[in-house]
Amino acid sequence: MKYAFISDIHGNANALDAVLDDINKQRVDKIIVLGDIAYRGPEPKRSIELIKSLNTTVVKGNADEWVVRGVRQGEVPDQALELMNLEREWIVNRIDQVDIDFLAGLPTEAIIEVDGVTMQAFHATPTSLFDVVLPDATEDKLETKLFCEKDAHLYLYGHIHKAYTRVVNGKTVVNLGSVGLPFDGVTKASYAIVEVSGGTISTSHRRVAYDYNKTIRQYEDSHYPNTQMMKKIIETGSI
C-alpha cells in the first residue's frame, strides 16, 4: 500500500492543486489529511471543497479548531490575538455553515494498520492540537509527546511546517512539512509518501513547485487582513 500524507494547506488551494496533481502521478493508493485546511489562506472555501472531494480520512488541526470557535487567549501571543481573530472572521465569512460543521466533526487522529505495520497520524501530538514538537527535539521529548498514546511503528504529524524524518528507539517519526505555508526555507509545497509492503516501510518527502505569485496576488486582491506577513512567508518559505 502506498499512502500520501498531506497537511497544513492553510487556504492555499493553488499549492494543494499542485500537490494533488503530483500525488496522482505517484500512483498512491490512499491520501490521508492531517489538518489545517482553510485558515490563513486566500481560498478557504475551495481548499475545503478539494479536501472533501477526496472522500478520505481527515483529522483536525489547531487552525481548523480556530475556524470553528475562534482563537483564544493563551493559544497565541497576546499581541497577535486580535489580528488572528480578524483573520478567522475573514475566513468564516467566505465559507458556509456546512464547512464549519465539517471541520468541527473531524477526529483528532487516524490509526492505519497494514501488512503488520501500525501508523499513528495526528496534527500536532496525540493529546494536543497545539503542542509544538520541533525537528531538533530531544529523543525523550519525542517519546513523551509523540509515542504516548499508541505503540506504533510509524508516527506522522504536521503543525510545525518543517519536513523531517527521524528514527528513535526503532520507531520512525515523519513530519510532513506544509502544503500551503512551508517554514523551512523552501518555497515549494511539501508532503510525505509512505509505502508499506510485506512489513517493509519506505518513507520520503516530495517538494512540489507551484505558482506562489498567484497566491500572493490573491491575498492582495482579496484584501486579506494580514497580507504583508503572509506574502513574506509565501515568498521566503519562512517566518
Side-chain angles (χ1 to χ4, degrees), residues 226-238:
N226 198 6
T227 291
Q228 291 307 308
M229 189 185 85
M230 303 314 298
K231 281 175 58 178
K232 176 182 177 294
I233 295 173
I234 294 287
E235 287 173 339
T236 65
S238 61

Side-chain angles (χ1 to χ4, degrees), residues 128-188:
S128 171
L129 297 178
F130 298 93
D131 280 354
V132 174
V133 180
L134 295 173
D136 60 354
T138 65
E139 291 190 354
D140 284 347
K141 183 169 184 177
L142 287 174
E143 289 185 307
T144 300
K145 291 291 187 178
L146 303 185
F147 304 170
C148 57
E149 290 289 298
K150 179 77 174 179
D151 185 19
H153 301 93
L154 180 62
Y155 298 85
L156 301 108
Y157 72 112
H159 191 50
I160 62 172
H161 299 214
K162 294 184 177 184
Y164 77 90
T165 302
R166 284 176 64 182
V167 177
V168 177
N169 292 331
K171 298 178 184 295
T172 302
V173 178
V174 177
N175 187 279
L176 317 183
S178 171
V179 170
L181 289 175
F183 290 170
D184 54 12
V186 182
T187 56
K188 296 180 180 180

Side-chain angles (χ1 to χ4, degrees), residues 52-71:
K52 284 182 177 180
S53 73
L54 299 175
N55 293 314
T56 193
T57 301
V58 183
V59 306
K60 184 185 290 186
N62 64 297
D64 304 315
E65 183 74 0
W66 283 340
V67 172
V68 172
R69 49 79 162 167
V71 186

Side-chain angles (χ1 to χ4, degrees), residues 16-50:
L16 181 57
D17 284 334
V19 164
L20 293 178
D21 182 61
D22 190 72
I23 289 172
N24 185 56
K25 294 173 183 175
Q26 304 310 308
R27 298 183 177 180
V28 163
D29 295 298
K30 187 169 183 179
I31 301 172
I32 308 291
V33 185
L34 301 188
D36 283 10
I37 299 167
Y39 181 72
R40 288 212 132 162
E43 291 191 277
K45 178 69 173 177
R46 192 161 79 85
S47 296
I48 292 172
E49 289 175 346
L50 283 169

